[in-house]
Amino acid sequence: MTVSLYSVAHDLVALVLTAIGSVLPAPLSRWITNAGLITALGVIVFAAILLIASMLNTIVLIWFERKLLGRFMDRRGAMHVGFAGLLQNFADGLKLMRKNTFRPEEADGLGFYLGPTAYMVTSLILFGILPVSTGWNSGVLPLSLLLALVVFSFAPLFIFISAWSSNNKYSLMGGMRSAAQMIAYEVPLLLSVVAVVVVSGSFDLNTIVAQQQNYWYWGPLFLALIVFVAAMLAEMERIPFDLPEAEAELVEGWNTEYGGMLFAFFMLSDYVRALVGSFLVVLLFLGGWTMPGWVPSAATSFPLAGIVWFMVKVYIVFAVFVWIRAALPRVRTDQLLRVGWNRMIPLALLSVVLAAGVVMVKCLPVFGCLPNLGI
Amino acid sequence: MTAAPASSVQWPELLGNSLIALEPLEGTSGRLRFRAADAERVFRAVHDAGFHHLTLVGGIDWVDHREVIYTLWSDERKSYLFLSTDLPADHPSIATATKVWPSANWHEREAWEMVDIHFDGHPDLRHLLMPDGYEFHPLLRSFKLHEPEDLEVKVRHV
Amino acid sequence: MSEMWINMGPQHPMTHGLWNLRVRIDGELILDVDPEMGYLHRGIEKISEDRHYNEVVTLMDRTCYVAGMAWEHLYILGAEKALHITPPERAEYIRTMSEEFQRIASHIMWYAAFVQDLGLMSPFLYGMRDRDLLLDLFQSYTGARMTYEYMRVGGVRNDLPHGFSDRARKVLDWLMERFKEYDQLCMGSDIFRRRCDGLGVLSAQDCIDFGVTGPMLRSAGVARDLRKDRPYSVYGRVDFDVARATTADVTGRYLVRMEEMRQSVRILRQVLDWLDRNPGPVMAENLPRWLGAPYAPIGREGYLLKREYPKGVGFAAIEEPHGEAAVYVVNEGGEHPYRVKFRSPVYVNLSAARKYLVGYHVADIPPIMGSVDVCVGESDR
């Protein structure tokens, strides 16, 4: 289980290049099998695998939401393209790709195209940072949690750039709301993460998950979990916190002027961020790929079991987000900001204090011998 | 206030010589014909008699003259009352009712653009249902509905 | 941000139809509004002048496309008064029943659209699902789901089909259960209450001054309901209460409409019982031939003859789902009405928009306008 995805990619590239090199003349063969090239190609293959896997997951996630939302609403969701509508999102994607990408005459070209592209890229980078299982990513990133959160918080900047350069009043209002909302909820989000860091003593996600081998953090850090999920909902701009794109008053908010593939970038990035949000909840609070002790070992020891269990947890967390979406109306901007600054931040601070308490209790010897029950 | 039927109101005493006739109308408390020149006084008197709710203001083109009808409702009397007045066809104009019933605003705008009745003192006599610059008054009898092939654009762009 | 005007409409998710709400805002605060109407003006009053009395019914379905039966009822009541025709009793009961079914269907449609505007998606689908049952009922006795063309001067087109009242009662039972669910989803939700309480307040005095009627007026505590105050058709013979709230805000309007649906079910149960017990004709006898009893072919001898019939003016007012609707029909001899003037409740309710929108936030526009229940077909005619 110590085989990492990067080493697989690296070995694969080495194998192929060696095979090619064996039939080529000597100088070329030497050049093609040198370590630098193999590493470079290995990184590219690694990135490509990551990209494909994460995009596939995102698209399945959209399907999952559509079906689940359909069931909540007493209907079936997509049914016709592919088995149970599984290919519907691919069809939608193809349709968007075929559409004309246009720019309003008065819009600022640079910002108009830069915004969605950068938003998409920064969202995808997150998949390279977050571990899905032991050995998923190559390098040792001692501050991977911090890096993930930093990249995650780029979004308001690019949203505001694209909103402003659209030269549309609705876009501008949506962009303003988005920036205000994300900045307001960044603080409780980070503070609730601090609670996790205090207990685990590390910014490395692998270490944080390893620390949860004995007990998952959602029990002792329940308050931090609540704050984190609420703040994450605001960061993901999902109902009940989707005011920046509240279609009832702002048409489509900051992406009003976008159509075709540029709109698909936003749409896809939103789901990428939803997926990343679910990843983080699982990594920080639900034990990542570890499983409680009462699960039979046969269920946790098959190849890639870590990834499977991790994704199961991710989809359960996302189902909760969908459930919230099906059951709650949208709040208002001023209410959202008031809750953010006046309620969430004190709660997050309290959760940090509680985390300190947890650290003290953790030192009691009884916790060392507790079996992992999933709490 | 006691729920007295509207017929108990002594309209002749209340309105004096502004009143031309009081006609019965089925299911309502009748139709008051009044002199257009005294419109403001009549509106005020009718409003004070308990008819606080203006249901509609409508214009009718009788070719040789125009008629304006006001329908009013009284919560205390639980009945409707019609006011009606005749205006000359060449220059139909009457005082606005918006000072007494603010809800007359849009009704009068509509009557103005549809039947070409001018309401003196109306705060905001603009086109409402028709596009700005529309120079016809569709509900006049002289405005004929056309067969589709006869249709032409009747909007002068401003 | 400095002050600016934004156009909410004519193509905007909030408008639910074609109209334009021009809003002057400072940041998120509304400073001024100016509704622009007329995008859906089809000249129904003018077209009516060129049509036979029964042909106008077709236009009525298009006037308010979510409350077609109510508008048919309104026009027929006015036209019958202008023509001095009395329909048989059973026809009056069927009309009352149709109007009440339409009221529930219209309110459910309102509920679905209103809650959707708040970002709550599930009730929209629930509302559409339940409204479909009512449309099925309409289809079973009129043949159409939206544009019924069912009522005629002198009665209704046809009697109810066999087994109709049993089906209708089943639907009513189902709906009464669903209304509880609706309430749980909305009044049980803290966010919903925070979005709606104290919004769009229009006091009783302002309502009366600006001619605002219907659930908006009743939510301000004024129990004016024409079904009670000036009973038409058979409303004087059925037992029901006038729904009322005192808060005059969005929540109040929500509660009034929910209670109205329950009261409609109550009325419908009584009307259905009466219809079961009393078979009879649904069309008046001895209607003048020119009126074209339902299917008189055009060009038949006598159809286009000048008629000998007393002139008259007909006025009718009903409590339509959106408020007080009225019609003024002038019959001057001839096969066509000389003038038909409608009062649309939505039109008047919208004219007071400045009163209930200024001072709130941009995000409050969808719930407030949703609580007004805008039907543009009806307001523009």
Side-chain angles (χ1 to χ4, degrees):
Chain A
M1 287 299 286
T2 50
V3 180
S4 80
L5 181 67
Y6 170 68
S7 66
V8 170
H10 184 271
D11 293 350
L12 203 70
V13 169
L15 200 69
V16 171
L17 289 188
T18 317
I20 295 173
S22 62
V23 297
L24 288 176
L28 218 53
S29 162
R30 224 181 5 262
W31 181 78
I32 209 166
T33 50
N34 85 38
L37 187 69
I38 290 178
T39 310
L41 282 178
V43 168
I44 291 173
V45 170
F46 168 67
I49 294 174
L50 261 185
L51 183 69
I52 291 168
S54 53
M55 286 316 256
L56 274 177
N57 247 311
T58 309
I59 286 171
V60 172
L61 194 76
I62 300 176
W63 172 83
F64 181 66
E65 169 161 40
R66 289 172 77 161
K67 296 299 274 189
L68 205 58
L69 216 48
R71 291 298 169 177
F72 276 123
M73 295 174 184
D74 207 357
R75 62 190 170 90
R76 289 178 159 209
M79 278 305 283
H80 291 289
V81 187
F83 174 73
L86 207 48
L87 297 180
Q88 180 67 49
N89 292 311
F90 293 94
D92 291 350
L94 284 176
K95 185 201 75 174
L96 285 171
M97 258 181 234
R98 285 177 56 224
K99 280 195 164 181
N100 191 8
T101 302
F102 63 92
R103 174 168 73 85
E105 210 170 306
E106 300 285 314
D108 179 67
L110 180 65
F112 190 80
Y113 292 117
L114 179 76
T117 317
Y119 186 48
M120 178 91 173
V121 169
T122 51
S123 305
L124 285 174
I125 286 175
L126 288 161
F127 284 114
I129 301 168
L130 301 175
V132 173
S133 160
T134 42
W136 175 255
N137 48 358
S138 59
V140 178
L141 287 169
L143 295 177
S144 59
L145 175 58
L146 210 54
L147 181 60
L149 289 169
V150 165
V151 177
F152 199 75
S153 61
F154 279 165
L157 178 65
F158 298 121
I159 285 176
F160 195 70
I161 285 177
S162 35
W164 199 1
S165 53
S166 298
N167 198 14
N168 177 319
K169 288 169 185 170
Y170 291 116
S171 298
L172 186 60
M173 284 176 71
M176 296 287 279
R177 282 188 185 187
S178 179
Q181 166 176 343
M182 287 198 177
I183 290 166
Y185 278 78
E186 205 84 342
V187 183
L189 186 82
L190 289 175
L191 282 174
S192 58
V193 167
V194 165
V196 173
V197 171
V198 164
V199 174
S200 67
S202 169
F203 268 113
D204 184 4
L205 284 163
N206 284 307
T207 316
I208 291 174
V209 172
Q211 292 273 340
Q212 297 184 63
Q213 199 65 253
N214 289 334
Y215 57 94
W216 295 358
Y217 285 162
W218 72 270
L221 295 179
F222 194 71
L223 186 61
L225 173 68
I226 298 293
V227 173
F228 185 82
V229 167
M232 194 46 102
L233 274 173
E235 292 285 315
M236 296 188 309
E237 294 185 0
R238 289 178 62 83
I239 284 178
F241 301 134
D242 70 332
L243 333 133
E245 42 191 307
E247 78 281 349
E249 64 250 25
L250 292 188
V251 189
E252 193 51 49
W254 40 269
N255 52 22
T256 299
E257 290 289 355
Y258 287 92
M261 210 50 215
L262 289 176
F263 169 74
F265 276 15
F266 279 129
M267 184 79 193
L268 215 55
S269 307
D270 280 351
Y271 279 94
V272 167
R273 288 167 66 83
L275 192 58
V276 167
S278 313
F279 271 28
L280 282 173
V281 172
V282 173
L283 285 171
L284 298 181
F285 295 99
L286 298 181
W289 48 87
T290 63
M291 285 307 285
W294 46 264
V295 175
S297 63
T300 55
S301 56
F302 59 88
L304 299 180
I307 295 179
V308 170
W309 284 113
F310 183 80
M311 290 317 285
V312 167
K313 287 180 193 173
V314 164
Y315 276 83
I316 289 172
V317 169
F318 187 69
V320 174
F321 289 156
V322 176
W323 186 11
I324 291 173
R325 182 178 174 187
L328 289 182
R330 178 184 300 129
V331 299
R332 214 168 55 205
T333 322
D334 55 328
Q335 295 169 341
L336 174 94
L337 294 179
R338 198 179 307 126
V339 169
W341 293 108
N342 290 358
R343 298 275 180 280
M344 300 290 277
I345 292 181
L347 277 179
L349 286 171
L350 186 63
S351 75
V352 175
V353 174
L354 289 180
V358 170
V359 171
M360 290 172 69
V361 175
K362 203 172 77 166
C363 300
L364 299 176
V366 62
F367 275 86
C369 53
L370 269 186
N372 178 12
L373 295 174
I375 52 170
Chain B
M1 189 185 280
T2 52
S7 53
S8 71
V9 180
Q10 295 301 313
W11 293 115
E13 286 173 21
L14 212 57
L15 299 178
N17 57 358
S18 313
L19 182 70
I20 298 174
L22 181 58
E23 303 162 354
L25 197 64
E26 189 206 341
T28 69
S29 51
R31 184 152 71 153
L32 277 174
R33 288 191 172 278
F34 65 96
R35 257 176 257 287
D38 301 335
E40 273 184 79
R41 198 163 76 84
V42 174
F43 294 153
R44 184 61 66 186
V46 169
H47 182 269
D48 292 345
F51 290 89
H52 297 305
H53 174 62
L54 178 76
T55 293
L56 63 82
V57 179
I60 302 175
D61 178 26
W62 293 101
V63 185
D64 56 337
H65 67 277
R66 312 253 162 90
E67 183 185 352
V68 191
I69 49 163
Y70 298 82
T71 309
L72 304 154
W73 167 264
S74 162
D75 272 332
E76 293 88 22
R77 297 166 206 283
K78 308 277 184 219
S79 77
Y80 281 102
L81 174 73
F82 290 83
L83 300 182
S84 149
T85 188
D86 290 345
L87 303 174
D90 52 342
H91 183 64
S93 134
I94 187 171
T96 178
T98 47
K99 287 171 192 141
V100 182
W101 296 285
S103 60
N105 190 330
W106 280 23
H107 291 301
E108 290 185 350
R109 277 170 79 177
E110 190 189 338
W112 167 71
E113 70 177 350
M114 291 295 173
V115 203
D116 191 19
I117 292 166
H118 194 82
F119 292 92
D120 296 327
H122 188 282
D124 191 21
L125 212 52
R126 291 180 287 135
H127 275 290
L128 182 64
L129 293 178
M130 292 296 168
D132 287 342
Y134 191 80
E135 53 185 7
F136 301 88
H137 300 279
L139 279 171
L140 292 180
R141 300 305 285 189
S142 54
F143 184 96
K144 294 288 176 209
L145 290 183
H146 293 264
E147 293 301 315
E149 56 265 28
D150 297 336
L151 278 178
E152 50 186 319
V153 178
K154 288 194 181 258
V155 184
R156 187 185 62 191
H157 291 284
V158 286
Chain C
M1 253 191 290
S2 58
E3 289 176 16
M4 61 184 179
W5 280 97
I6 55 173
N7 286 311
M8 286 201 159
Q11 314 283 345
H12 190 283
M14 177 275 299
T15 55
H16 298 300
L18 276 179
W19 64 289
N20 186 4
L21 183 69
R22 300 184 66 233
V23 190
R24 190 156 64 90
I25 53 168
D26 180 6
E28 295 264 342
L29 193 69
I30 304 170
L31 300 177
D32 195 7
V33 298
D34 178 25
E36 273 181 10
M37 310 304 297
Y39 291 91
L40 211 57
H41 178 64
R42 291 147 296 173
I44 282 180
E45 288 172 13
K46 182 69 181 176
I47 304 172
S48 306
E49 293 176 8
D50 259 25
R51 290 195 166 212
H52 296 270
Y53 280 96
N54 273 340
E55 287 173 343
V56 177
V57 174
T58 313
L59 300 175
M60 289 302 98
D61 294 320
R62 274 94 180 153
T63 303
C64 184
Y65 31 75
V66 292
M69 275 299 188
W71 278 83
E72 285 185 20
H73 193 188
L74 169 72
Y75 165 74
I76 288 294
L77 287 176
E80 279 174 353
K81 276 192 194 131
L83 296 165
H84 315 282
I85 291 169
T86 315
E89 200 180 11
R90 187 175 167 82
E92 289 279 38
Y93 269 93
I94 293 179
R95 287 176 188 174
T96 307
M97 179 197 77
S98 306
E99 191 188 322
E100 289 307 312
F101 272 133
Q102 190 68 75
R103 189 183 313 279
I104 300 178
S106 172
H107 280 356
I108 290 181
M109 183 71 219
W110 160 80
Y111 170 79
F114 166 64
V115 182
Q116 161 89 344
D117 277 352
L118 288 171
L120 192 47
M121 292 167 71
S122 313
F124 175 73
L125 273 294
Y126 299 158
M128 294 313 252
R129 176 193 66 193
D130 298 336
R131 178 171 171 265
D132 229 43
L133 299 172
L134 292 164
L135 298 189
D136 285 346
L137 284 182
F138 280 127
Q139 189 179 14
S140 72
Y141 74 96
T142 69
R145 296 171 73 83
M146 241 175 109
T147 50
Y148 316 104
E149 288 142 39
Y150 180 61
M151 297 188 191
R152 293 284 185 273
V153 176
V156 295
R157 191 178 67 206
N158 54 271
D159 208 339
L160 301 175
H162 182 69
F164 176 82
S165 51
D166 291 337
R167 277 204 303 277
R169 280 196 195 90
K170 255 183 225 161
V171 171
L172 294 183
D173 292 342
W174 162 269
L175 285 178
M176 282 306 270
E177 288 301 309
R178 296 287 81 73
F179 293 158
K180 286 179 202 156
E181 199 178 289
Y182 291 178
D183 260 352
Q184 282 167 6
L185 270 164
C186 290
M187 299 309 282
S189 161
D190 194 38
I191 298 180
F192 180 88
R193 295 298 300 266
R194 275 167 199 270
R195 282 302 302 275
C196 296
D197 282 359
L199 270 196
V201 175
L202 193 63
S203 68
Q205 190 53 48
D206 282 340
C207 282
I208 291 169
D209 282 351
F210 284 87
V212 171
T213 50
M216 284 185 80
L217 176 65
R218 287 193 284 278
S219 78
V222 181
R224 185 200 297 157
D225 189 328
L226 291 177
R227 295 176 293 171
K228 210 56 160 185
D229 292 345
R230 188 176 176 272
Y232 51 93
S233 285
V234 296
Y235 282 109
R237 284 179 247 170
V238 290
D239 196 22
F240 69 100
D241 297 327
V242 177
R244 205 157 64 108
T246 49
T247 48
D249 60 356
V250 174
T251 319
R253 287 163 210 159
Y254 168 87
L255 290 172
V256 165
R257 288 202 175 87
M258 282 293 155
E259 183 56 27
E260 269 185 31
M261 288 202 272
R262 294 196 189 95
Q263 294 297 333
S264 290
V265 170
R266 199 169 144 201
I267 295 173
L268 279 167
R269 290 214 167 107
Q270 300 169 42
V271 171
L272 287 169
D273 287 346
W274 190 95
L275 285 169
D276 278 352
R277 287 196 310 271
N278 299 281
V282 294
M283 201 71 186
E285 306 274 316
N286 301 324
L287 284 178
R289 274 180 91 186
W290 53 265
L291 202 56
Y295 299 108
I298 293 169
R300 275 273 289 279
E301 188 190 351
Y303 184 68
L304 291 172
L305 286 184
K306 267 286 180 218
R307 62 203 185 80
E308 298 288 329
Y309 219 69
K311 297 179 180 180
V313 169
F315 173 79
I318 67 166
E319 192 66 34
E320 206 240 349
H322 308 93
E324 174 201 24
V327 64
Y328 188 85
V329 184
V330 182
N331 159 27
E332 265 304 294
E335 300 94 39
H336 316 300
Y338 185 81
R339 174 82 164 91
V340 186
K341 167 73 191 163
F342 292 105
R343 179 213 204 253
S344 150
V346 174
Y347 180 77
V348 185
N349 291 358
L350 276 177
S351 72
R354 197 171 273 124
K355 272 278 171 197
Y356 50 71
L357 278 178
V358 171
Y360 296 102
H361 292 250
V362 174
D364 296 334
I365 293 180
I368 295 177
M369 291 321 293
S371 73
V372 177
D373 193 5
V374 180
C375 172
V376 185
E378 179 185 311
S379 77
D380 284 3
R381 299 178 300 272

